[in-house]
């Protein structure tokens, strides 16, 4: 069991360090999984505003989780599940449920031992499955936060229970560079380690985020004052791309230090050839395209994290740099659309909830449909494409009931079973569902198979009462769920590349398996660029 804690400040990249270490261990032939423990009291991030917490990542089993799970999947090329993301809300919910059921036999329920025991139970859950050699647990927040205290105490107990060779703590901290003094400062890290020591944990390895290389004298100082071996002070210097980090950590011998401390023998060096090939393509593209990402959370790119990374993977596959242009759907109207979207080689209309910015998305889709520019719509983006087509091609007074509950023609409507639901959290159509693709469609050509599995997160659906009318006019339903007959993929006839999907393909794109729809969309945008130049 490996624990990754953070100090000094949040957002240092614990998730990337955990994923990079996982990648190195996996590349040595070990089976690895990573879990994230979040100290907030929401049961899951499903009801959080993306501005608050970035995107909500959905797993195959329908859990709404932290965006770090996306990094774990993209790096390790594995599927995570509900067990990989635990929040304080879930821990307390479980304990209170047990208390109401009388499981504590009249005892006073306390943070120690009851909350900490529940945290420990969840720490061990994946390890007990027998599927993994290593379980890496990332503890959210920073050491010293009130919210993190029960987690740190649980980690202290786990180390005590398992012994030194079975549990290890990596502490990620910041070494700030003071421009005025022209020097790196170790004091924030020393304070952070003291805080951790005060809570009963001596870190085994220090990973130091820094803008400048760490000189040997500074490493010696950190080793001396933080009680760690000199070779366990690891430099994590700012990188051009997150995908450089596994190679940087290999150079710093992070995986070797971990294996030595846990007394685990590895016969061979990490095999990172495929990873290096991907990085080579990523860093030396032969082409460049401009893609407009039309959404309503564009001032925080983390809100669309998986889409951004899917473009990185698909771009590398096509030897092409994808330059994303962030376009707020609220800036688009019938008057401004041409000005806002000019010079772009393709448009992706992003997912989202609520009516804000929806009309702008519809105007953008009308423009790309009429001008034969490659279009990719995801979730709400696909729904907007159906509304736009119904309005401007069929002449219907069409809308989605999410945008206008009293619309005359609800071409997008809430599923019947959703109409009865009043509780918001975890009640959407979530997780992996099957989709059957029609042969001859662009989607079928991209996937190369008829039956696919994709992840969902939505309440509203294509209204099948309008299916025949819409298909006859040229917008075809080429992907359908075989059990519910719900439309999953739509494509426009007589258009170079116009595809809308009800699911979230970006969630399944990884470094070693770029998502086929993103790969084909980038290819179509590249072809469009060549055709107009």
């Amino acid at each position: 069991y490996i624990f990754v804690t953070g100090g000094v400040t949040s957002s240092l990249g614990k998730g990337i360090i955990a994923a990079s270490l996982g990648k190195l261990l996996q590349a040595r032939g070990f089976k690895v999984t990573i879990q994230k423990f979040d100290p907030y009291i929401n049961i899951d991030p499903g009801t959080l505003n993306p501005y608050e917490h970035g995107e909500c990542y959905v797993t195959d089993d329908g859990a709404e989780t932290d965006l770090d799970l996306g990094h774990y999947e993209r790096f390790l090329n594995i599927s995570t599940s509900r067990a990989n993301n635990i929040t304080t809300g879930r821990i307390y919910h479980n304990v209170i449920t047990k208390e109401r059921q009388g499981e504590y036999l009249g005892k006073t329920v306390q943070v120690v031992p009851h909350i900490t025991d529940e945290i420990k139970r969840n720490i061990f859950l994946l390890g007990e499955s027998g599927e993994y050699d290593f379980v890496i647990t990332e503890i959210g927040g920073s050491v010293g936060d009130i919210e993190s205290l029960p987690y740190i105490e649980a980690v202290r107990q786990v180390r005590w229970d398992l012994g030194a060779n079975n549990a290890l703590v990596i502490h990620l901290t910041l070494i700030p560079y003071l421009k005025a003094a022209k020097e790196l400062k170790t004091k924030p890290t020393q304070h952070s380690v003291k805080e951790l020591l005060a809570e009963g944990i001596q870190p085994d390895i220090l990973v130091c985020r820094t803008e400048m290389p760490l000189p040997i004298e500074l490493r010696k100082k950190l080793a001396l004052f933080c009680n760690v071996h000199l070779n366990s002070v690891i430099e994590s210097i700012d990188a051009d791309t997150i995908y450089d980090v596994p190679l940087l950590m290999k150079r710093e011998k992070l995986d070797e230090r971990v294996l030595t401390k846990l007394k685990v023998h590895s016969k061979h060096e990490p095999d990172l050839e495929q990873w290096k090939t991907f990085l080579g393509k990523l860093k030396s593209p032969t082409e460049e395209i401009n893609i407009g990402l039309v959404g309503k959370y564009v001032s925080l790119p983390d809100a669309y994290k998986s889409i951004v990374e899917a473009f990185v993977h698909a771009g590398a596959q096509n030897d092409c740099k994808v330059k994303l242009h962030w376009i707020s759907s609220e800036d688009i109207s019938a008057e401004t659309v041409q000005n806002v979207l000019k010079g772009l080689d393709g448009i992706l209309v992003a997912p989202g909830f609520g009516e804000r910015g929806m009309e702008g998305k519809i105007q953008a889709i009308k423009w790309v449909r009429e001008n034969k520019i490659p279009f990719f719509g995801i979730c709400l983006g696909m729904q907007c494409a159906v509304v736009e087509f119904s309005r401007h091609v069929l002449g219907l007074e069409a809308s989605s009931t999410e945008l206008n509950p009293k619309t005359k023609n609800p071409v997008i409507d809430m599923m019947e079973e959703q109409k009865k639901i009043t509780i918001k959290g975890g009640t959407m159509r979530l997780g992996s569902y099957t989709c059957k693709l029609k042969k001859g469609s662009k989607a079928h050509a991209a996937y190369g198979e008829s039956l696919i599995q994709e992840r969902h997160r939505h309440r509203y659906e294509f209204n099948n009462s309008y299916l025949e009318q819409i298909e006859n006019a040229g917008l075809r339903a080429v992907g359908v769920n075989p059990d519910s007959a719900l439309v999953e993929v739509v494509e426009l006839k007589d258009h170079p590349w116009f595809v809308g999907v009800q699911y979230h393909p970006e969630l399944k794109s990884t470094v070693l398996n770029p998502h086929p729809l993103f790969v084909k969309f980038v290819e179509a945008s590249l072809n469009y660029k060549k055709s107009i130049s």
Side-chain angles (χ1 to χ4, degrees), residues 437-452 516-517 520:
L437 298 172
K438 284 188 180 158
K439 288 195 171 128
S441 65
K442 288 188 170 66
H444 186 276
Y447 284 97
E449 51 190 310
S450 299
L451 273 186
I452 56 161
L517 288 179
K520 289 295 181 193

Side-chain angles (χ1 to χ4, degrees), residues 455-469:
R455 298 178 194 175
H456 291 251
R457 182 176 185 248
H458 57 98
R459 283 182 207 287
Y460 295 82
E461 298 279 358
F462 186 107
N463 186 343
N464 278 342
S465 1
Y466 292 89
L467 181 59
E468 196 178 335
Q469 206 175 341

Side-chain angles (χ1 to χ4, degrees), residues 1-5 123 137 139 155 158-159 167-171:
Y1 289 88
I2 299 166
F3 298 94
V4 180
T5 59
I123 287 172
T137 304
I139 307 289
V155 171
V158 166
R159 290 185 80 190
L168 174 138
V169 173
I170 296 171
H171 191 51

Side-chain angles (χ1 to χ4, degrees), residues 67-298:
L67 62 77
D68 273 328
L69 268 72
H71 292 312
Y72 307 160
E73 291 204 4
R74 287 188 280 275
F75 274 58
L76 300 184
N77 207 28
I78 58 168
S79 279
T80 54
S81 69
R82 190 173 300 279
N84 292 73
N85 191 200
I86 305 293
T87 67
T88 294
R90 182 104 67 86
I91 297 290
Y92 274 83
H93 183 267
N94 292 352
V95 168
I96 290 164
T97 305
K98 284 178 186 172
E99 185 273 332
R100 291 289 83 186
Q101 291 167 347
E103 280 193 37
Y104 298 117
L105 301 171
K107 279 196 165 59
T108 306
V109 178
Q110 294 172 294
V111 173
V112 181
H114 302 103
I115 296 296
T116 48
D117 280 354
E118 181 62 18
I119 293 170
K120 283 161 70 178
R121 188 182 72 78
N122 281 281
I123 287 172
F124 292 133
L125 216 52
L126 287 164
E128 285 165 352
S129 69
E131 286 176 51
Y132 306 105
D133 302 308
F134 290 93
V135 177
I136 301 173
T137 304
E138 178 193 341
I139 307 289
S142 307
V143 170
D145 296 350
I146 288 175
E147 294 94 335
S148 299
L149 284 170
Y151 291 99
I152 300 296
E153 170 56 21
V155 171
R156 185 194 70 75
Q157 290 183 21
V158 166
R159 290 185 80 190
W160 177 253
D161 294 343
L162 296 178
N165 297 342
N166 291 309
L168 174 138
V169 173
I170 296 171
H171 191 51
L172 176 65
T173 141
L174 179 68
I175 307 284
Y177 178 72
L178 296 189
K179 283 201 174 100
K182 291 193 170 50
E183 61 178 333
L184 291 158
K185 290 292 185 187
T186 64
K187 200 58 87 183
T189 294
Q190 291 180 48
H191 281 301
S192 176
V193 171
K194 282 203 169 73
E195 186 81 50
L196 202 51
L197 283 166
E199 289 165 22
I201 293 179
Q202 164 64 53
D204 299 284
I205 295 172
L206 277 186
V207 175
C208 306
R209 269 305 295 274
T210 169
E211 296 172 44
M212 308 280 174
L214 299 182
I216 188 69
E217 290 311 312
L218 192 132
R219 293 193 191 217
K220 283 179 177 169
K221 187 176 176 183
L222 282 167
L224 177 64
F225 291 118
C226 299
N227 301 335
V228 295
H229 291 289
L230 180 58
N231 59 8
S232 294
V233 178
I234 305 283
E235 170 191 290
S236 175
I237 199 158
D238 291 356
D240 296 337
T241 158
I242 56 171
Y243 300 111
D244 277 331
V245 181
L247 297 179
L248 293 173
M249 290 302 104
K250 179 176 183 285
R251 197 175 70 199
E252 285 284 304
K253 300 190 161 78
L254 175 62
D255 54 326
E256 281 184 34
R257 295 308 307 144
V258 165
L259 293 171
T260 305
K261 284 190 171 292
L262 293 172
K263 294 192 166 45
V264 175
H265 298 290
S266 169
K267 292 190 180 73
H268 51 78
E269 282 294 296
D271 175 10
L272 293 166
E273 284 318 303
Q274 279 181 285
W275 195 270
K276 286 175 183 168
T277 305
F278 159 76
L279 269 177
K281 288 180 149 203
L282 179 62
K283 291 185 173 187
S284 47
T286 52
E287 309 276 357
E288 180 174 302
I289 53 169
N290 293 287
I291 299 285
L293 193 151
V294 179
K296 67 174 186 176
Y297 304 116
V298 291

